[in-house]
Structure formats: structure tokens, C-alpha cells
Amino acid sequence: MFRKILIANRGEIAVRIARACKEMGIHAAVVFSDADRAALHVRLADEAYAIGPAPSRESYLAIYKIIGVAQRARCDAIHPGYGFLAENPAFARACAAAGITFIGPSPEAMEKLGSKTAARQLARAVGVPTVPGTVEPIEKFEDALDAARKIGFPVVLKAVAGGGGKGMRLIEQEAAMSAAWREASSEARNAFGDARVYLEKYLVRPRHIEIQVLGDHHGHLLYLGERECSVQRRYQKVIEEAPSPVMTPELRRAMGEAAVKLARAGGYANAGTVEFLVDAGRNFYFLEMNTRLQVEHPVTEMVTSLDLVKLQIGVAAGEALPFTQDAVVARGHAIECRIYAEDPENNFSPSPGKILARRIPAGPGIRLDDGIYAGWTVPNEYDPLLGKLIAWGADRKEAISRLKRALDEYYAMGIRTNVGLFRRILNSPDFQNAEVYTRWLDDFLQQPASVVTPGDREQSNADDAAAVALAMWHFSRNGSPEVQKADAPGLAASEWKLDGRREQLNRAPRT
Amino acid sequence: MKIEIKLRDLNRTVEISRTDGQLRFALDGRSLGADAIEIAPGIYSILVAGQAFEARVDSTGGALRVSVAGREYAAEIVDHRQRKRYRGGAIEAEGRQKVVAPMPGKVVRVLAAAGDVVEAGKGLVVIEAMKMQNEVRSPKSGTVERMLVAEGQAVNSGDVLAIVV
């Protein structure tokens, strides 16, 4: 086993990995940029090394600096977390060249499975379903029409050089095809200087369901069940859960085996995630593979009772997986929400700043993976993810009610968070009935937030309490002898009395 | 001590007094049997008619908000004694206005110059923080007296960006 691991990341995931190291008796070394000297991952680490200025390119993305620290600190292995260098084959190669174990797949597997186009080609080659469409760019309109008829409407035209929806056209029926062809091509030429387009089947309200895979270096490759991540805002996951509410044992086995087949074809080891879109008929289509630990890995951990980070470390150290496919059983239901320093009422603009006070939710079934503390200033240089709040329950209903309860307990004053957004989502009938799809949240956010029924006694008491709070806040800031007296109750008691009380408390209890 | 507040489109007056060491409250002239204590600055435990509430008041970035019972509202306070006005959007006092950075970041664009006549809500400066751009707007209609930042400049939360008169 490793003696010391360098964690090449920051924030909640660096904290998560450091915790795994400590539980395994491995020294946790971390790196930090100038903006992160006081960050929680530095405070919790056994060793910490400065790697330069705040911009990631000069610190967390600087391969030579991180390898240099790992060598100087005599680390046996590097855990890249997610983001930053986690899916960079050049970094994995640099680790190998320096004689340091990269905790993740081989650079070759990363290249085969991490690139969208390469992975889709491999999926087609091994018979893992992908979204039906033309693999190659289409030359003529007639070819596009033929392809569309073969695939079946609705279809979508996409720019080969594409991105950001430019050169993209949804076509519901054949009559709209020629206009869409002209528009997509010219838009693609204008946006990318490349008019080539290809055609794909358009999936109506698909769900995002992904399979966690884990492989060792002894030929074992397992699937650890699925996570449903259909609640997304502009293609970014917001809520994840396991198991998927629409999953059946047959579908799970089919998707799990497809994921393992693909990973095996790419020579994959360690933890990875194979993402699929699933349509209303429970047909699944390979989307892409993430060749790293996912942000949402805790929901899998909560239902399987496995520790994915510890397993990653064990596998990287050459250990065989300590269980077989049959032993992987999900128990209960887990839901995670990603808490960001952003303002949902102000177009989700980031809200960095100093955390003045906070409360950490606790109690049955609650897990908080975060990287912040009261008094810390959330820097503005990085992704504003504060942490992940995860609830486990015996079933989905209990998981939802626990998560709602924990969200009510959570606050971080001084910054804005998206906690209110989760309350809205968890209270919506669509989410409660699991009637969600990848664009559901974007549609949901178009609707106005529900209005409180006036005249409700509870609400009117809450309004009164809010009014009282505002008044107390105002007068304690702007000087009012009435309120300030109340702010210092300790002054009323004499020191003699307090000493007496302390003495009473320190006495051994009578039995 | 009496102030006016605006909450959920309702204007209310709140009066606080102290008798026998107890804080007493009157809402819109009627006495309210509330028991309120400050837990920490901005955090209050308030008991109203047997119902227990925890209320938090936050003015981060100049916007006044109160959250209670799992809901959050923009609020406004008018204290006639101080002729000061806190709003859901920004502090609006009479006269000269300092426009401050709501968050630390980098000035990526300056949208107005000294001497410009601006409407309330007109963008003055764009600040980039966490890879997102945020427009800082004029809190009032008036004239830009001074622009105190330039493009590329790093700013801290609370730094004065411009003055509008």
C-alpha cells in the first residue's frame, strides 16, 4: 500500500480524498494556490505545498509543479480528483515517467474512452447502443433526407465543428427538412467556418442515467449500479440520485453489462462512469464516459455501502477488488444536491465572499461533503461548488423528506447559495413523481415560483417573525439602547454568580 | 424605536421597546406577543403565538434579505430617524451614491464614464468573478460623478467603483 498520496485538487473533493487517506493510514499531502492558503483541504492535510498564483493554469493545472511537489515530498501516488488534471492523459504519462502511481485509468484507456468521438466509435464497434445517426458528415441534402427517413423523425442536425447549439436544428417532420438543412449549414459556416453537419435521432425527454464501473489490474471489472442525473441546468447536473426511479433489474443488468463491455474494450481500470441517455421506452444510448471519480459518487456509496475513493486507492496499489458482481447490492435510496455559491434569484450569478456564519445539517441519513468553514472567504477564481448534501433513506420518499429537512437546517450567511432552488425542486410534484428529463429543470425554471396563499395563519406568523427580525437587525446595527441591552445577556450576571455556576457544573454527578 | 419595513409587498411598522428587561414588539400599532432573541449577528430565534421561527437577515452585496420558515424574501427598511433606506436591490439614500463592488473580482468592462447621465439600473461596470460576468448597475438616475476603476483592475467586495449624483 502507498505511504503518502498527493492530492492534486482543491475544495470538497480534496477534503474527501484526504479523509479516505487518513482512514487508510496513508499520509495525505495537498497542493494549494495563493488563493487557497486558508482552504479546508490545507487545514485537514498532513502536508501542504504551495504551487503558485490563483489562476489554475499557473497552479492546479501546472503539471510540472505538481509532479515536482510529488517528487520532493516523496509521494508514492497522486489522486487527481475530478476536473483540473483528472482526465489529462499527458498528466497520467508525466506521473508514470516520474515513477509515481496515477490513481486512475491508464493514459491509453483515457484516450480511447475519454474522447467523445473515439468512445462512440468504440461503442459502435463493440455493439453498445449509441444515439442513432450518421457517423460521418453528410454531403448532400438527399443523403440527409434518406438518413432521416431511416432513423425516423424527430431528428436533429448538428454542426460537425459544433458546440453551444450553433448550427443545430430540430426537425419534427419531413416537410421541415430542407429549410432546416439550409439554415443549419449556413449557421455552421458562419459560426465555425465549417458548413458540415451530421444527423442524429432526437430523443424526446430523455433521462440521464449513468453506470459506475470499477476495475482492478487483475482482470475484474464490475458495475456498481446506476445514478440518475436528469435534473440539470443547462446540461450541468444539479441533483443526482441512486437508484434511478425508473430502473428495473433487467435494464440495470443490460446497462451495467454494456458499460462493462465498453470499459473492458478500452482496457479500463479504476473508477469510471459510463453515461447513457434513456428514452421513454427504456432504450438506452451511450453518451460519453468520464474516466475519473464523479462529483456525484457519494450517492452510489450511500446505497452500496462501498467507499469508492478507498477502492480507487486499493486498486491503484495493485490490490484485487475485494468483492464480486453478485455482492454489489443497493440498499435504500440516496439523493445528492450540489450546493453552489450562486444566487438563483439573480440568474445564478456567482456569489463568492466571506462566510460569516453557517450551520451544518446533521441527523439520521445525512452526509455533507464540503470544503468550506465559517470565517473562510470563498475565492472567486474557481468553480463555486461549496459542497454536496446527500440524504439516504429506506426509500425515495424518505430520502426526499430527509434532504428537505437537512436543507432547512443548512445555511451559509455572507454568501448566496442555491439551497432555495433545491427546496423548490424537491417540493415539485414532477420531481416527487420522478417525472423528470434532461431539460426538465430548464422548463421548470421558466415557471414562476409558487405563491404563498394569503391569509394562512402560519404564514402570517412567519411574516410577523420576519418583521421582528428585520427590526432587531436594523436596531442592533444602527444603535438602539433597547436592543443592544438584549444582545449582551452575559453582562447581567455577575462574575461571582458565573463562577458558582461553573463549579456546580464541574461537580461529579450524584449517582 | 420605530421603523417601517416592506416585505412581500406589504408595508408595516415595527416598534421595539423594553419593559421589565423584556423586549416588546408592536406591529402596525398592535402589540405582538413575540419572544425574540439574537443567536448571532443576523440570526434570531423568534417565538410567535407558540410557533418557533429562526429568522436570518443578510445584507450581502447591498441587497437586504430575510429568510424565515424555509423561505427567503427581499426586504426594505425605512428609518425616518436616520433617513436611510435599505432596499431589496441597493441602499438608496438621497444625494450622492457610492456604487460598490458586490463581490471580489476583476473589472472586465467599464460601461460608463464621468459625466454620463444614467438611468437607475443602467450597467456601470462588469465584474468577472468565478468565471462569470456580473453587471453592476446604477442605484439611481443621475449623473456619473466619477468612475474609480479601470478595465483589468482587481476589486474587493465593498470597493467603491463609481459615484453617481
Side-chain angles (χ1 to χ4, degrees):
Chain A
M1 186 42 70
F2 305 121
R3 200 185 57 83
K4 194 192 291 182
I5 290 175
L6 182 70
I7 301 163
N9 215 300
R10 64 176 302 282
E12 67 87 19
I13 195 61
V15 170
R16 165 74 188 89
I17 298 162
R19 285 177 171 149
C21 290
K22 291 195 171 196
E23 289 175 24
M24 296 176 86
I26 298 169
H27 274 267
V30 301
V31 289
F32 63 90
S33 74
D34 292 348
D36 273 340
R37 173 62 188 85
L40 187 62
H41 76 279
V42 178
R43 293 179 58 197
L44 290 178
D46 295 311
E47 297 175 23
Y49 301 93
I51 48 166
S56 314
R57 206 166 308 160
E58 298 167 59
S59 48
Y60 296 108
L61 287 173
I63 293 178
Y64 73 98
K65 286 187 180 174
I66 287 165
I67 298 285
V69 167
Q71 286 177 319
R72 264 179 286 130
R74 298 177 185 279
C75 298
D76 316 294
I78 295 183
H79 197 307
Y82 55 70
F84 293 127
L85 296 168
E87 290 172 283
N88 185 330
F91 181 60
R93 288 204 170 89
C95 289
I100 298 159
T101 304
F102 175 82
I103 300 173
S106 68
E108 294 75 28
M110 230 185 255
E111 277 160 352
K112 274 186 208 146
L113 293 164
S115 134
K116 254 190 199 191
T117 45
R120 282 186 197 186
Q121 273 167 18
L122 187 61
R124 287 194 181 98
V126 297
V128 170
T130 53
V131 177
T134 60
V135 184
E136 298 295 318
I138 310 170
E139 300 281 329
K140 303 194 300 276
F141 171 68
E142 289 70 31
D143 297 344
L145 196 59
D146 277 352
R149 282 179 183 146
K150 217 175 286 167
I151 293 163
F153 289 93
V155 295
V156 62
L157 278 170
K158 289 181 179 176
V160 170
K166 291 260 165 53
M168 209 161 130
R169 279 291 179 286
L170 168 64
I171 306 141
E172 306 268 6
Q173 51 204 348
E174 203 172 310
M177 190 75 193
S178 73
W181 169 262
R182 277 195 311 273
E183 287 165 14
S185 308
S186 75
E187 203 172 288
R189 181 183 295 114
N190 291 338
F192 312 110
D194 181 351
R196 292 179 305 158
V197 293
Y198 66 100
L199 193 88
E200 247 181 24
K201 181 161 184 67
Y202 179 76
L203 300 178
V204 181
R205 300 192 161 186
R207 289 169 174 270
H208 175 119
I209 301 179
E210 58 188 32
I211 300 287
Q212 175 72 53
V213 297
L214 181 65
D216 62 18
H217 296 285
H218 302 273
H220 306 113
L221 195 57
L222 310 179
Y223 59 93
L224 309 182
E226 78 284 359
R227 292 183 287 262
E228 168 143 6
C229 319
S230 299
V231 179
Q232 304 182 357
R233 198 178 71 84
R234 298 183 190 160
Y235 303 109
Q236 296 293 312
K237 295 165 189 170
V238 170
I239 291 183
E240 301 97 350
E241 60 183 299
S244 161
V246 297
M247 192 50 70
T248 63
E250 296 73 34
L251 182 60
R252 179 176 296 127
R253 188 175 317 115
M255 289 177 71
E257 283 170 2
V260 164
K261 184 159 68 174
L262 177 70
R264 198 177 284 286
Y268 201 83
N270 217 288
T273 296
V274 183
E275 298 188 333
F276 295 97
L277 289 176
V278 178
D279 69 14
R282 291 207 174 89
N283 301 298
F284 60 90
Y285 307 96
F286 170 67
L287 195 60
E288 62 177 310
M289 180 161 183
N290 292 313
T291 60
R292 54 167 161 85
L293 186 70
Q294 298 271 91
V295 176
E296 60 273 23
H297 74 277
V299 293
T300 298
E301 296 188 324
M302 297 298 274
V303 294
T304 59
S305 304
L306 298 170
D307 186 315
L308 286 178
V309 178
K310 286 201 265 189
L311 286 164
Q312 279 193 298
I313 293 170
V315 162
E319 288 178 357
L321 284 176
F323 51 87
T324 59
Q325 187 65 61
D326 297 338
V328 179
V329 213
R331 204 182 118 262
H333 200 99
I335 308 178
E336 170 185 281
C337 41
R338 298 187 183 192
I339 300 178
Y340 281 96
E342 62 183 19
D343 187 353
E345 282 145 45
N346 193 8
N347 200 25
F348 297 91
S349 64
S351 173
K354 188 170 181 173
I355 299 163
L356 303 174
R358 73 178 303 218
R359 183 165 55 205
I360 295 169
I366 296 304
R367 165 174 170 180
L368 181 67
D369 276 25
D370 72 2
I372 62 169
Y373 57 88
W376 186 57
T377 300
V378 182
N380 58 24
E381 283 87 358
Y382 310 108
D383 182 88
L385 178 68
L386 297 173
K388 293 131 37 178
L389 182 61
I390 306 113
W392 182 90
D395 53 24
R396 189 169 188 266
K397 210 175 147 198
E398 188 178 52
I400 291 175
S401 57
R402 278 186 171 158
L403 192 51
K404 273 162 53 176
R405 185 266 295 166
L407 286 165
D408 283 345
E409 293 179 14
Y410 187 102
Y411 65 74
M413 290 183 69
I415 56 171
R416 306 276 299 137
T417 71
N418 58 352
V419 162
L421 170 72
F422 295 116
R423 281 201 198 98
R424 255 187 91 186
I425 294 172
L426 295 177
N427 281 322
S428 72
D430 286 352
F431 184 82
Q432 287 174 359
N433 299 327
E435 285 161 359
V436 292
Y437 45 93
T438 53
R439 298 298 301 275
W440 173 79
L441 184 56
D442 293 319
D443 293 345
F444 179 70
L445 289 174
Q446 299 299 311
Q447 304 163 18
S450 64
V451 181
V452 187
T453 346
D456 184 302
R457 192 184 66 90
E458 209 166 297
Q459 182 58 43
S460 108
N461 284 344
D463 283 352
D464 290 354
V468 166
L470 284 166
M472 286 185 73
W473 176 84
H474 176 75
F475 288 127
S476 74
R477 281 164 58 108
N478 294 285
S480 143
E482 283 90 341
V483 177
Q484 273 166 356
K485 237 183 274 166
D487 290 346
L491 294 177
S494 82
E495 277 299 306
W496 290 107
K497 268 189 198 163
L498 286 176
D499 272 351
R501 273 183 213 154
R502 276 183 213 121
E503 214 165 281
Q504 294 280 332
L505 287 170
N506 289 339
R507 266 192 209 149
R510 258 180 278 182
T511 46
Chain B
M1 307 254 81
K2 193 174 182 177
I3 54 161
E4 260 173 48
I5 62 159
K6 192 174 174 187
L7 186 73
R8 296 211 301 130
D9 293 326
L10 265 160
N11 288 305
R12 314 188 72 177
T13 60
V14 190
E15 206 171 338
I16 303 189
S17 57
R18 177 180 283 273
T19 34
D20 306 332
Q22 276 282 316
L23 279 183
R24 306 210 181 265
F25 303 92
L27 275 179
D28 303 324
R30 281 211 313 266
S31 146
L32 176 76
D35 174 353
I37 59 168
E38 185 182 66
I39 301 295
I43 304 172
Y44 306 92
S45 169
I46 299 165
L47 312 179
V48 182
Q51 271 187 274
F53 296 99
E54 183 159 291
R56 293 186 298 274
V57 182
D58 200 343
S59 60
T60 304
L64 182 62
R65 290 185 181 83
V66 58
S67 52
V68 64
R71 286 205 169 75
E72 194 177 63
Y73 309 102
E76 217 174 295
I77 293 178
V78 186
D79 183 343
H80 293 295
R81 190 183 52 145
Q82 299 189 323
R83 309 178 101 214
K84 219 177 193 177
R85 198 177 170 88
Y86 295 89
R87 306 195 95 203
I91 297 165
E92 194 180 283
E94 290 101 65
R96 209 156 166 266
Q97 281 296 295
K98 285 177 183 169
V99 181
V100 300
M103 64 187 73
K106 201 172 107 181
V107 175
V108 290
R109 269 194 299 156
V110 174
L111 304 170
D116 284 3
V117 175
V118 293
E119 292 284 302
K122 157 94 171 69
L124 299 175
V125 169
V126 179
I127 295 179
E128 190 178 82
M130 289 175 167
K131 295 169 189 164
M132 295 258 304
Q133 301 203 336
N134 305 279
E135 202 174 74
V136 181
R137 302 186 175 96
S138 177
K140 62 174 275 188
S141 302
T143 309
V144 178
E145 186 187 84
R146 288 173 72 188
M147 284 299 308
L148 296 155
V149 290
E151 280 176 19
Q153 188 177 330
V155 290
N156 272 317
S157 187
D159 283 1
V160 180
L161 306 171
I163 292 169
V164 182
V165 291

